[in-house]
Amino acid sequence: MKSKEIVILGSTGSIGTQTLEVVRSNEDMNVRAIAAGSNVDLLESQVREFNPEMVCVFDEEKALELKKRISNVKTEVVSGMEGLIECATLDSADIVVAAVVGMIGIRPVIEAIKAGKDIAFANKETLVTAGHIIMPMVKKYGVKMLPVDSEHAAIFQCLNGENSGEVDSLLLTASGGPFRGMTREQLEDIQVEDALKHPNWSMGRKITIDSSTMVNKGLEVIEAKWLFDVSFDQIKVIIQPQSVIHSMVQFKDGAVMAQLGTPDMKLPIQYALCYPERRYLEGERLDFCKLSDITFEKPDMETFKGLKLAYEAGREGGSMPTVLNAANEKAVALFLDRKIKYLQIADIIEECMMKHSIVDNPSLEEILEIEQRVYNYIDDRY
Ligand code: NDP
Ligand code: MG
């Protein structure tokens, strides 16, 4: 059997390190390149363990530091956007795990697709902002876009062998995050530490904050629209606090398919890397006799208005999802730096969306320019 030659963009992160765990337990998987922002300590140990051809450190100074540290190893060290793209398009690779955080992933993903690589896709901000550019390219270059985000991986599994024309709606489940059930008044004084405590999943800092504000679910609604080519009316969000059902698909005849499991990202990661094969995966199994409850609620889109704003941005289309995403990336960074209050995250997104005049079908350059403008606007004010 042919081995799997893998590139991991974002190898030091939550998805990246779990991907490496999957690689460790599959003998036919090789890591060809890894990339991260600046964490050279972890990159060094990953290089020594996995022996990739290439490693990219986005930060140039840190790249020089890594180069010195691993001068006794053959791995080539590259940096910056050019370096990310070199890793993403490496000749020897079959599949690129897109697991950087934020829309920094747009260009590497586009170049990987052009180079004919399949994509194991976690980096939702990239599809939210550039889905209209990326999905037609996936078709044109005949590559596979394999979702890693647990909800989308669930939907992808529910759609296996089905006719997409027979889908009625996608039922995207959400845990509701740590503040489910709270009022706006109660959210007024939320601190960084409170928002970083997710009830069911352990993830990177940005997505953990996004999960608490429900902006994550909003980004996932837009991600689902692009991955599965459905309208926004066909995507419904349902709160399922125990995170047992990872998402569902309702078909035209009323049948509902669901994918269930314990919350473990290694399942969607391994499934994407091995698709269409399903392999053994170590870990806890669902025990239905011990499972006391699976409950459902309607999302509260007034308190958690980030979700409502995402539906609006998605429906308005064009450059609006870029504004939503860029404003959120910046606002979350400011919140993590303790420069703004928790509820300001959604307020800032709303303000940026209100100020924006939509550009239809924005080009990559326009997307990146609008991103920068949104960053500058927020920097000037907060
Ligand atoms: P983390 O914050 O844990 O990791 C982010 C990764 O991106 C790190 O490797 C980081 O490197 C790297 N990175 C950041 N900036 C750059 C840059 N400029 N150039 C290159 N690499 C960079 O995030 P997660 O793993 O949690 O999330 C990654 C993506 O996957 C996000 O889009 C998220 O929404 C999505 N996702 C995550 C899930 C999860 O369970 N964690 C679930 C579903 C989706 P460094 O360490 O050096 O900063
Ligand atoms: Mg998800």
Side-chain angles (χ1 to χ4, degrees):
M1 199 174 47
K2 196 188 165 303
S3 60
K4 291 176 198 303
E5 309 300 327
I6 302 169
V7 171
I8 307 172
L9 307 177
S11 65
T12 55
S14 160
I15 295 290
T17 51
Q18 293 181 86
T19 304
L20 289 170
E21 280 181 52
V22 169
V23 171
R24 280 192 195 100
S25 51
N26 282 277
E27 279 183 358
D28 62 346
M29 292 183 184
N30 301 312
V31 178
R32 288 296 183 166
I34 54 176
S38 60
N39 185 349
V40 287
D41 287 341
L42 188 50
L43 280 174
E44 178 180 358
S45 75
Q46 291 178 346
V47 166
R48 293 191 189 282
E49 180 179 353
F50 293 94
N51 250 310
E53 273 170 52
M54 193 177 276
V55 54
C56 172
V57 194
F58 189 81
D59 182 301
E60 264 170 54
E61 268 173 42
K62 294 278 183 183
L64 288 176
E65 187 186 332
L66 182 67
K67 203 167 187 169
K68 276 192 207 133
R69 289 207 209 171
I70 58 167
S71 57
N72 58 343
V73 178
K74 272 206 242 138
T75 306
E76 183 184 353
V77 182
V78 294
S79 71
M81 182 50 72
E82 235 170 83
L84 277 181
I85 292 173
E86 267 190 85
C87 289
T89 56
L90 203 68
D91 272 344
S92 57
D94 316 310
I95 186 162
V96 174
V97 181
V100 297
V101 58
M103 51 194 288
I104 188 85
I106 300 178
R107 293 185 55 205
V109 167
I110 289 180
E111 294 305 321
I113 295 170
K114 282 192 193 162
K117 313 296 181 197
D118 290 332
I119 312 287
F121 187 78
N123 175 216
K124 60 190 84 178
E125 298 89 352
T126 281
L127 262 193
V128 166
T129 51
H132 62 291
I133 297 174
I134 290 172
M135 292 318 288
M137 288 179 78
V138 166
K139 243 192 197 154
K140 178 173 170 194
Y141 291 90
V143 301
K144 293 193 196 82
M145 188 74 167
L146 301 153
V148 166
D149 206 345
S150 60
E151 295 76 4
H152 306 74
I155 291 169
F156 185 69
Q157 291 171 68
C158 296
L159 289 173
N160 243 339
E162 300 288 346
N163 179 345
S164 59
E166 291 161 6
V167 169
D168 174 77
S169 48
L170 307 181
L171 310 176
L172 216 58
T173 53
S175 72
F179 310 134
R180 179 176 57 92
M182 287 193 185
T183 61
R184 273 184 81 81
E185 292 67 54
Q186 288 171 309
L187 294 176
E188 201 64 59
D189 289 317
I190 291 296
Q191 299 300 306
V192 173
E193 295 70 26
D194 309 318
L196 282 176
K197 280 184 211 132
H198 193 279
N200 308 329
W201 298 93
S202 149
M203 310 178 284
R205 285 156 64 89
K206 191 247 175 195
I207 185 177
T208 304
I209 302 296
D210 287 352
S211 299
S212 78
T213 58
M214 294 290 286
V215 169
N216 180 54
K217 209 48 57 179
L219 299 176
E220 291 184 354
V221 167
I222 304 176
E223 182 186 14
K225 184 238 151 32
W226 290 117
L227 283 173
F228 305 111
D229 193 21
V230 292
S231 70
F232 285 101
D233 290 340
Q234 285 175 289
I235 308 173
K236 294 173 183 143
V237 172
I238 296 164
I239 307 287
Q240 198 280 279
Q242 301 83 10
S243 296
V244 171
I245 301 179
H246 297 318
S247 277
M248 305 181 265
V249 177
Q250 175 149 31
F251 292 88
K252 284 187 169 163
D253 60 357
V256 178
M257 302 280 185
Q259 189 252 333
L260 286 70
T262 52
D264 180 357
M265 288 307 294
K266 290 197 286 302
L267 191 156
I269 293 169
Q270 178 171 284
Y271 190 70
L273 290 175
C274 300
Y275 178 80
E277 193 188 338
R278 236 183 231 288
R279 291 190 180 177
Y280 175 77
L281 181 69
E282 208 155 302
E284 217 188 311
R285 299 296 187 251
L286 269 188
D287 181 344
F288 285 92
C289 297
K290 286 193 188 141
L291 234 171
S292 53
D293 269 325
I294 304 183
T295 55
F296 303 95
E297 291 168 23
K298 221 172 117 169
D300 173 358
M301 297 216 211
E302 297 311 317
T303 309
F304 299 93
K305 67 179 173 185
L307 177 56
K308 190 174 72 182
L309 290 169
Y311 266 108
E312 277 170 28
R315 287 198 165 100
E316 285 167 22
S319 53
M320 199 53 103
T322 294
V323 173
L324 167 96
N325 183 73
N328 181 58
E329 285 192 27
K330 190 78 197 180
V332 169
L334 289 176
F335 174 69
L336 285 169
D337 279 350
R338 299 168 205 276
K339 301 229 167 76
I340 60 168
K341 295 186 77 169
Y342 183 72
L343 286 173
Q344 281 182 288
I345 297 173
D347 291 344
I348 289 175
I349 298 173
E350 192 169 30
E351 180 185 338
C352 291
M353 281 174 61
M354 266 170 33
K355 289 261 180 314
H356 182 62
S357 343
I358 295 183
V359 178
D360 286 326
N361 206 14
S363 65
L364 176 56
E365 289 66 37
E366 285 171 320
I367 291 171
L368 299 177
E369 194 193 303
I370 291 166
E371 174 196 25
Q372 201 51 56
R373 252 194 281 146
V374 171
Y375 288 174
N376 294 344
Y377 175 88
I378 298 172
D379 270 337
D380 288 348
R381 281 164 186 77
Y382 297 92

